[in-house]
């Protein structure tokens, strides 16, 4: 059991949080929210909540993270509240590592959960993300908690686990809209209950309870949005999301520059709006036009040839799995990296282009280069360990169906990200993958011990 069974775990947690806070003290002024991706989406609503004015117009995300943020601002105000946020999100990372360690022990024939835990809490991409106003730290804990409960449900089949699982699924869905669609696919992993000799009738009853709780919770939030905007929805960002997906498809599938892809994407939605005969006051950000805009980009993506889609999808998947997150580190500590990153993102060519990568590395300064080595090195090393550990675990485990369930969720999220793979999207997936990486470490240790007997 990986947890707090003795005092050393408390000392370790306190030391871990203290180290993170000390690292925060050396950060660039206001970096925690200036460089947090989509931070303004959350802290605006959080400040409104902390002042007793409700969520405001929370169109593009769920209420959980703004509510989480508002507690910090209500207690200490904005500036000191953000300092407190570094502490609480570091604790979330530590708890995520603890859960991953226990999850590892549940599917392993022996106790190596402590390895998985250390891999999670010392992941540089995870650590730097915990220092920013972003949903990833909270979302990762909830997702790992969901999988941990799902594994317990598959093993035990108890209704108590179903209720807990559904409540966590609701929190996942209302923390990040992308999580909602995966939570709604519970019917797929629930089929694995049959492998544990659970009757189809009980599987059906489990699904009824799960979906009743999840849909009721989503319905209540949609009702709140209806009262404010006259329309039922959980999140209203589909127009901008599919535009970003289409731009990425053109960039990495057809080797267009960002400017070329953006210009073409504008033509696509404007043609659709003209065809539908509607007026969008705020252009691409128009609330009432978001469904028409999303429709235009979905059609445009479906009209692309298969080679372009595969090329862009492959590029996205590789970037999702192996990008390090060094840009967040550089931004957080004021290390100059803007010119090289912007040139890499905006220039024509696939993200897998060797020439493009070489130009990117050549244009970086020495400090940023060392950050790249650390962040990329960790990402690549842990993925190599993952492949080794997955092979070992598959050959030595009696719980292969649990391995399939965990891989299923990794692939579902990777597929949902489509052409927009980046390091921040991997933060919630890394803890799941560290389960397999831990077995890779175990193999390396075993190999070393046998060579030195």
């Amino acid at each position: 059991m990986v947890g707090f069974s003795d005092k050393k775990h408390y000392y370790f947690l306190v030391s871990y949080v203290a180290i993170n806070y000390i690292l925060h003290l050396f950060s660039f002024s206001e970096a925690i929210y200036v460089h947090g991706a989509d931070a303004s989406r959350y802290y605006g609503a959080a400040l409104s909540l902390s002042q007793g004015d409700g969520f405001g117009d929370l169109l593009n995300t769920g209420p959980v993270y703004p509510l989480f943020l508002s507690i910090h601002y209500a207690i200490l105000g904005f500036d000191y509240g953000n300092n407190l946020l570094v502490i609480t999100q570091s604790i979330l990372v530590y708890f995520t590592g603890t859960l991953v360690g226990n999850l590892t022990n549940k599917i392993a024939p022996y106790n190596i959960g402590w390895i998985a835990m250390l891999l999670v809490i010392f992941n540089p991409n995870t650590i730097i993300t915990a220092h920013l106003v972003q949903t990833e730290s909270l979302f990762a804990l909830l997702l790992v908690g969901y999988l941990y409960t799902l594994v317990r449900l598959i093993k035990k089949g108890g209704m108590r686990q179903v209720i807990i699982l559904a409540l966590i699924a609701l929190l996942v869905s209302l923390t990040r809209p992308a999580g909602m669609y995966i939570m709604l696919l519970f019917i797929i992993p629930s089929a694995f209950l049959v492998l544990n000799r659970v009757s189809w009738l009980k599987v059906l009853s489990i699904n009824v309870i799960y979906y009743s709780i999840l849909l009721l919770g989503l319905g209540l939030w949609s009702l709140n949005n209806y009262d404010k905007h006259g329309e039922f929805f959980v999140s209203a960002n589909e127009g901008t999301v599919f535009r970003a997906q289409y731009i990425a498809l053109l960039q990495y599938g057809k080797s267009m520059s960002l400017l070329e892809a953006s210009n073409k994407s504008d033509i696509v939605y404007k043609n659709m709006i003209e065809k539908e005969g509607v007026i969008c006051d705020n252009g691409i950000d128009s609330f009432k036009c978001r469904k028409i805009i999303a429709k235009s980009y979905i059609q445009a993506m479906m009209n692309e040839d298969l080679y372009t889609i595969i090329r862009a999808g492959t590029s996205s998947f590789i970037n999702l799995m192996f990008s390090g997150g060094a840009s967040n580190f550089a931004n957080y500590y004021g290390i100059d990296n803007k010119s090289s990153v912007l040139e890499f993102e905006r220039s024509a060519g696939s993200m897998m282009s060797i020439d493009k990568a070489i130009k990117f590395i050549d244009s970086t300064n020495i400090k940023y280069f060392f950050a790249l080595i650390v962040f990329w090195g960790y990402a690549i090393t842990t993925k190599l360990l993952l492949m080794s550990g997955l092979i070992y675990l598959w050959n030595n485990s009696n719980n292969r169906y649990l391995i399939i369930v965990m891989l299923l969720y990794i692939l579902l999220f990777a597929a949902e990200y489509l052409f927009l793979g980046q390091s921040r999207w991997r933060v919630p997936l890394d803890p799941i993958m560290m389960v397999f990486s831990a077995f890779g470490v175990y193999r390396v240790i075993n190999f070393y011990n046998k060579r030195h007997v």
Side-chain angles (χ1 to χ4, degrees):
M1 184 76 174
V2 178
F4 300 97
S5 55
D6 56 59
K7 290 184 178 180
K8 67 180 180 181
H9 290 290
Y10 290 100
Y11 295 145
F12 191 36
L13 171 59
V14 171
S15 300
Y16 181 76
V17 172
I19 290 170
N20 272 277
Y21 190 73
I22 291 170
L23 291 173
H24 169 62
L25 295 177
F26 291 93
S27 66
F28 182 76
S29 178
E30 302 176 344
I32 185 172
Y33 59 89
V34 170
H35 294 298
D38 304 323
S40 59
R41 178 189 299 180
Y42 309 114
Y43 67 69
L47 284 169
S48 178
L49 276 170
S50 68
Q51 295 163 5
D53 297 328
F55 285 101
D57 291 332
L58 196 59
L59 292 172
N60 297 326
T61 187
V64 173
Y65 192 68
L67 182 60
F68 171 74
L69 272 182
S70 70
I71 297 171
H72 299 75
Y73 299 154
I75 295 172
L76 294 176
F78 186 68
D79 291 328
Y80 289 110
N82 282 320
N83 290 335
L84 177 60
L85 181 67
V86 173
I87 294 174
T88 54
Q89 290 193 159
S90 298
I91 294 172
L92 294 183
V93 171
Y94 191 90
F95 284 164
T96 301
T98 301
L99 267 179
V100 168
N102 289 319
L103 180 60
T104 302
N105 288 340
K106 280 191 175 296
I107 68 171
Y110 30 72
N111 293 330
I112 60 167
W114 62 273
I115 299 177
M117 176 186 176
L118 293 177
L119 288 173
V120 170
I121 68 174
F122 289 117
N123 183 341
N125 188 30
T126 300
I127 291 173
I128 200 64
T129 304
H131 286 235
L132 300 170
V133 177
Q134 290 182 190
T135 62
E136 274 71 17
S137 298
L138 179 60
F139 189 77
L141 176 61
L142 291 172
L143 182 57
V144 170
Y146 179 86
L147 285 176
Y148 180 81
T149 307
L150 178 58
V151 168
R152 292 189 66 188
L153 173 64
I154 293 174
K155 282 193 165 189
K156 297 181 178 180
M159 287 300 173
R160 182 170 176 268
Q161 278 78 32
V162 180
I163 295 172
I164 295 172
L165 187 72
L167 291 173
I168 297 174
L170 179 59
L171 291 174
V172 168
S173 302
L174 295 179
T175 300
R176 181 186 291 173
M180 175 179 64
Y181 303 104
I182 307 300
M183 296 300 100
L184 289 170
L185 295 175
F186 171 71
I187 192 170
I188 299 174
S190 69
F192 285 91
L193 289 163
V194 179
L195 298 178
N196 207 32
R197 299 179 181 178
V198 177
S199 67
W200 282 107
L201 183 61
K202 189 172 182 180
V203 172
L204 177 61
S205 65
I206 286 172
N207 274 274
V208 169
I209 294 170
Y210 175 92
Y211 282 108
S212 295
I213 294 172
L214 177 58
L215 294 176
L216 175 62
L218 293 175
L220 290 173
W221 179 246
S222 296
L223 184 61
N224 169 77
N225 288 329
Y226 178 81
D227 288 339
K228 292 182 177 180
H229 305 285
E231 188 176 333
F232 290 101
F233 64 90
V234 175
S235 175
N237 64 339
E238 56 264 50
T240 53
V241 167
F242 280 107
R243 178 178 184 266
Q245 291 284 3
Y246 183 62
I247 289 173
L249 172 62
L250 296 178
Q251 272 193 278
Y252 309 126
K254 289 195 167 182
S255 298
M256 288 186 181
S257 69
L258 179 60
L259 180 61
E260 291 172 326
S262 297
N263 289 338
K264 185 171 182 179
S265 75
D266 288 342
I267 294 172
V268 167
Y269 94 83
K270 287 177 181 177
N271 285 344
M272 177 64 76
I273 289 171
E274 185 177 345
K275 178 181 176 182
E276 297 286 338
V278 297
I279 298 175
C280 301
D281 296 332
N282 296 323
I284 193 69
D285 296 319
S286 176
F287 171 73
K288 72 173 185 177
C289 293
R290 70 189 192 283
K291 293 182 180 178
I292 295 174
I293 292 171
K295 177 183 174 183
S296 70
Y297 291 124
I298 291 172
Q299 289 183 357
M301 286 189 285
M302 291 177 65
N303 289 334
E304 292 294 340
D305 61 273
L306 184 60
Y307 173 75
T308 298
I309 293 172
I310 292 175
R311 188 169 181 239
T314 303
S315 178
S316 172
F317 183 78
I318 291 174
N319 192 48
L320 173 67
M321 289 296 145
F322 296 102
S323 58
S327 291
N328 276 339
F329 177 84
N331 292 334
Y332 193 64
Y333 288 107
I335 299 172
D336 182 26
N337 71 313
K338 292 293 184 183
S339 59
S340 58
V341 172
L342 289 176
E343 176 63 25
F344 181 77
E345 291 177 344
R346 295 178 179 180
S347 61
S350 167
M351 299 187 79
M352 297 179 290
S353 168
I354 300 298
D355 291 339
K356 189 173 178 177
I358 291 173
K359 288 179 181 178
F360 171 59
I361 293 172
D362 285 343
S363 64
T364 62
N365 63 52
I366 190 66
K367 291 181 179 178
Y368 186 44
F369 179 77
F370 279 116
L372 285 173
I373 295 297
V374 172
F375 281 75
W376 274 350
Y378 196 90
I380 294 170
T381 301
T382 51
K383 299 309 173 297
L384 293 174
L385 290 168
L386 180 151
M387 289 184 281
S388 174
L390 181 57
I391 294 170
Y392 178 82
L393 185 58
W394 185 262
N395 292 330
N396 293 276
S397 176
N398 296 322
N399 298 317
R400 289 180 179 174
Y401 59 93
L402 297 180
I403 299 171
I404 295 173
V405 167
M406 293 174 67
L407 290 175
L408 172 66
Y409 277 92
I410 294 171
L411 292 175
L412 284 174
F413 274 101
E416 188 179 35
Y417 296 147
L418 280 176
F419 315 116
L420 282 175
Q422 50 187 287
S423 60
R424 65 174 291 223
W425 302 135
R426 198 181 68 246
V427 171
L429 301 182
D430 262 342
I432 307 170
M433 293 188 280
M434 293 308 175
V435 172
F436 305 116
S437 298
F439 286 93
V441 174
Y442 177 78
R443 290 191 73 179
V444 171
I445 293 173
N446 267 359
F447 178 78
Y448 178 83
N449 288 339
K450 288 179 182 177
R451 290 287 299 270
H452 292 83
V453 171

